[in-house]
Amino acid sequence: MLPSDFWGRIVFILEEYGASFAGGIWTTMIIAVISTAIGCIIGFAIGIIQTIPCDREETPVKWGLLSVIKFILTAYVEIFRGTPMMVQAMFIYYGSAMVFNINMGMWTAAFFIVSINTGAYMAETVRGGILSIDPGQTEGAMAIGMNHFQTMINVILPQALRNIMPQIGNNLIINIKDTSVLSVIGVMELFYTTKGIAGAYYTYFEAFTITMVFYFIMTFICSRILRFMESKMDGPDNYELVQTDALVMGEGMHTYNPKDKNSYTNVDYKAHKTGNFNENQREGM
Amino acid sequence: MENIIKVSHLQKFFGKNQVLKDVDFKVDEGDVTTIIGASGSGKSTLLRCINLLEKPSGGEILFHGKPITGKGFDHCGYRAKVGMCFQSFNLFNNMTVLENCMTGPVKVLKKSREKAKEKALFYLKKVGMDPYINAKPMQLSGGQKQRVAIARALAMEPEVLLFDEPTSALDPQMVGEVLSVMRQLAKEGLTMIIVTHEMAFARDVSTHVVYMADGVICEEGTPEDIFEHPKKEKTVEFLKRFNER
């Protein structure tokens, strides 16, 4: 019943377990994409807070409060960057149930873990993105009266976002692959699914060959989509001149339409040159 | 008449280095004040202190009689009334020319988009940049960028407009187009404070000239006073060096 050759077995597995693979791919993608998006939002929020300007002498209370918040954020970034996601998954999923008696659903746990992990990395990436923007942009925004928040939202972050797009893409691809560690808490993503399929007929090589190809297709498509989004963000290379100055619109710029009897050629040029140009003829154009 | 801006005993330290030592000067409505002087004499720092981009270390700056360095002073509201144009333009690279001129009125002054667009187009036309509203700053030449920057500042309809060496980053061909826009504004009676190295422009346009050297105001007066009959040795020396170039 199981074909004896390699390709035959691959086809067999695909036919038998196609739906399971599809489910695994869907789970992997949904966790990776949504968590990367949430991670980006966390990263940008931290980026805004970390760059709030504050004078210790002028506003001591605000300064104190900010320092505490900044300390907590830095601790978050360092801890989540500095420990393996697999360990975090175990720690949070089982720890929350045992210590706090919170029974986190598997899905909630999956989104939570990948999001805050991405957030920790993104915080540093966003910080780098903000540093890469010319300080003159901030000064320009301040000079027209924008506050820190307005400056960030309207001027700095859109430019920083463009600069860190490659890094966001990197994070998405890492997340697609790294959701495989969520198998330790029983999330039915692609890796966990494959393990089950491989075990059924003891076809590890064939099943994981298929999974390798699927992972590659997912990451490759995502990286191409992000490239496309980057080029969209850059906007067109050229721009249209908008002629609002009616004086410049000379007669030479009218289009000539041979089918239209009242076209350009009907104008009496001799009359125009000699100054006998009358308004009725002009309307005919 | 009430002074719009009055600077008294202004000091500024960068670390141990004192850049401004006891600067006093005032600006009335309709004044076109040009600040001239050698590089490093504190001209730009003075201008940046007036717009609070640098925090003064000592002394006082009064705006309509109110100190701007005091606690709880609304910096953003103040900067909305005192526009600034920079040497390096500082246009927002992520926006088109039109958006650059609209974002201030919409986000800061809370005007409607239609009103803001109308104003932006009006001022862009004034500086001759209205055909370029869809261009991004990257696609413009230096002189065009500076003209957009002027339109952006004007769209806020400020009481005073500060210029920090607006033509220093431009090549000689483009200097003219920016200066002619500024000449026009001066003629219309806009209050301006201009830091510049364009002596001929300073002589023609300004109502008041301030010569700065080593962090103090060395000499000030009408353009005629400064350029025709300078009294101080340093001023004579500075102008002579400029004329030799």
Side-chain angles (χ1 to χ4, degrees):
Chain A
M1 154 182 134
L2 191 67
S4 55
D5 64 313
F6 176 73
W7 294 109
R9 281 200 294 271
I10 287 205
V11 173
F12 174 79
I13 291 170
L14 277 175
E15 277 173 353
E16 196 86 336
Y17 297 108
S20 307
F21 275 119
I25 289 170
W26 169 249
T27 310
T28 292
M29 280 310 287
I30 200 101
I31 293 174
V33 170
I34 291 179
S35 302
T36 307
I38 298 173
C40 285
I41 294 168
I42 296 174
F44 276 105
I46 294 177
I48 293 177
I49 295 169
Q50 294 279 26
T51 51
I52 292 174
C54 193
D55 199 313
R56 187 176 185 171
E57 284 150 35
E58 230 171 85
T59 46
V61 180
K62 189 180 159 198
W63 185 85
L65 199 69
L66 257 178
S67 322
V68 174
I69 295 172
K70 282 180 184 176
F71 176 78
I72 293 169
L73 291 177
T74 310
Y76 155 69
V77 170
E78 293 300 338
I79 290 170
F80 279 88
R81 274 199 318 171
T83 52
M85 192 158 86
M86 199 191 252
V87 177
Q88 290 164 22
M90 297 290 252
F91 179 79
I92 291 171
Y93 185 59
Y94 295 108
S96 63
M98 273 179 67
V99 182
F100 301 107
N101 220 3
I102 304 167
N103 203 351
M104 215 184 252
M106 209 168 58
W107 281 93
T108 322
F111 284 121
F112 182 74
I113 290 157
V114 182
S115 296
I116 55 171
N117 227 284
T118 313
Y121 279 95
M122 282 304 297
E124 281 299 288
T125 308
V126 170
R127 201 172 64 87
I130 292 172
L131 287 178
S132 75
I133 306 300
D134 172 23
Q137 296 284 309
T138 312
E139 287 189 354
M142 275 162 63
I144 57 169
M146 285 193 192
N147 59 31
H148 177 70
F149 193 70
Q150 288 169 329
T151 305
M152 278 290 160
I153 296 292
N154 297 308
V155 179
I156 305 299
L157 291 185
Q159 295 182 51
L161 176 68
R162 170 61 193 91
N163 286 358
I164 63 173
M165 271 306 272
Q167 190 56 33
I168 291 176
N170 235 346
N171 259 319
L172 177 61
I173 285 168
I174 288 172
N175 280 345
I176 291 172
K177 297 184 295 172
D178 279 8
T179 44
S180 59
V181 308
L182 294 173
S183 61
V184 297
I185 58 167
V187 178
M188 289 290 281
E189 42 64 55
L190 185 55
F191 174 74
Y192 198 48
T193 312
T194 312
K195 246 172 51 173
I197 294 166
Y201 291 97
Y202 213 71
T203 50
Y204 279 90
F205 183 44
E206 293 80 356
F208 279 101
T209 305
I210 294 168
T211 302
M212 278 269 275
V213 172
F214 279 147
Y215 269 121
F216 180 74
I217 291 171
M218 285 193 283
T219 53
F220 188 73
I221 289 174
C222 283
S223 78
R224 290 297 115 173
I225 289 174
L226 283 159
R227 267 295 155 76
F228 176 74
M229 280 166 68
E230 274 181 46
S231 63
K232 275 269 159 191
M233 282 170 88
D234 287 341
D237 288 335
N238 45 9
Y239 57 92
E240 266 177 52
L241 278 182
V242 182
Q243 278 300 358
T244 47
D245 192 348
L247 293 173
V248 185
M249 264 306 231
E251 278 161 289
M253 295 183 80
H254 291 281
T255 41
Y256 168 64
N257 183 2
K259 281 174 193 164
D260 183 4
K261 279 184 182 168
N262 295 328
S263 184
Y264 198 61
T265 42
N266 293 345
V267 180
D268 185 350
Y269 272 101
K270 273 181 191 159
H272 197 175
K273 271 184 187 161
T274 51
N276 297 329
F277 188 70
N278 76 47
E279 281 306 307
N280 296 336
Q281 280 173 317
R282 197 188 181 107
E283 271 167 23
M285 290 195 321
Chain B
M1 195 162 54
E2 191 195 29
N3 305 128
I4 293 189
I5 287 174
K6 188 169 191 278
V7 176
S8 51
H9 306 295
L10 185 70
Q11 293 182 28
K12 176 68 190 174
F13 288 88
F14 286 117
K16 278 185 184 155
N17 182 19
Q18 189 168 14
V19 182
L20 293 179
K21 308 163 188 164
D22 204 38
V23 173
D24 286 274
F25 90 117
K26 49 186 189 277
V27 175
D28 288 326
E29 203 179 323
D31 273 0
V32 177
T33 309
T34 46
I35 304 174
I36 58 172
S39 298
S41 58
K43 311 182 299 290
S44 290
T45 308
L46 172 60
L47 209 62
R48 291 169 64 85
C49 280
I50 292 176
N51 206 19
L52 289 176
L53 288 173
E54 300 289 352
K55 203 179 152 221
S57 315
E60 211 171 34
I61 301 172
L62 300 175
F63 179 66
H64 287 298
K66 287 199 196 81
I68 63 169
T69 45
K71 256 189 184 173
F73 182 81
D74 177 14
H75 289 197
C76 297
Y78 168 72
R79 289 203 193 96
K81 287 181 207 149
V82 179
M84 180 140 176
C85 293
F86 299 87
Q87 184 176 354
S88 48
F89 329 121
N90 295 351
L91 289 176
F92 306 137
N93 292 328
N94 56 326
M95 301 179 193
T96 63
V97 165
L98 182 64
E99 286 164 343
N100 258 286
C101 298
M102 280 173 65
T103 186
V106 171
K107 305 286 177 192
V108 180
L109 303 178
K110 311 285 177 205
K111 283 191 180 163
S112 70
R113 286 193 74 81
E114 293 77 47
K115 268 250 176 77
K117 189 173 176 184
E118 208 176 285
K119 276 267 143 44
L121 286 172
F122 175 78
Y123 287 111
L124 280 168
K125 190 158 191 150
K126 180 170 272 205
V127 299
M129 286 301 293
D130 51 326
Y132 297 90
I133 51 173
N134 291 331
K136 287 273 178 82
M138 302 275 225
Q139 298 160 327
L140 301 176
S141 73
Q144 291 174 326
K145 281 189 209 175
Q146 192 60 284
R147 285 189 284 152
V148 174
I150 293 172
R152 178 177 73 180
L154 287 173
M156 298 293 291
E157 311 204 305
E159 291 179 39
V160 187
L161 196 46
L162 313 177
F163 289 88
D164 185 8
E165 302 193 25
T167 56
S168 298
L170 304 176
D171 64 56
Q173 270 183 315
M174 296 170 185
V175 169
E177 64 187 65
V178 172
L179 290 186
S180 72
V181 166
M182 290 168 65
R183 270 206 178 90
Q184 184 61 33
L185 295 175
K187 222 183 264 172
E188 288 170 17
L190 182 73
T191 313
M192 301 196 278
I193 307 176
I194 305 164
V195 169
T196 186
H197 290 299
E198 300 289 329
M199 293 304 148
F201 173 76
R203 179 162 33 191
D204 293 351
V205 170
S206 46
T207 56
H208 193 77
V209 179
V210 174
Y211 169 63
M212 281 188 76
D214 303 322
V216 288
I217 290 178
C218 184
E219 193 170 348
E220 61 178 315
T222 63
E224 202 170 58
D225 290 341
I226 302 290
F227 291 106
E228 313 296 338
H229 321 287
K231 292 183 190 72
K232 297 262 175 72
E233 188 87 353
K234 270 186 185 169
T235 320
V236 177
E237 188 74 9
F238 174 74
L239 290 171
K240 207 174 101 195
R241 249 182 299 143
F242 247 95
N243 290 335
E244 276 166 9
R245 284 201 318 182

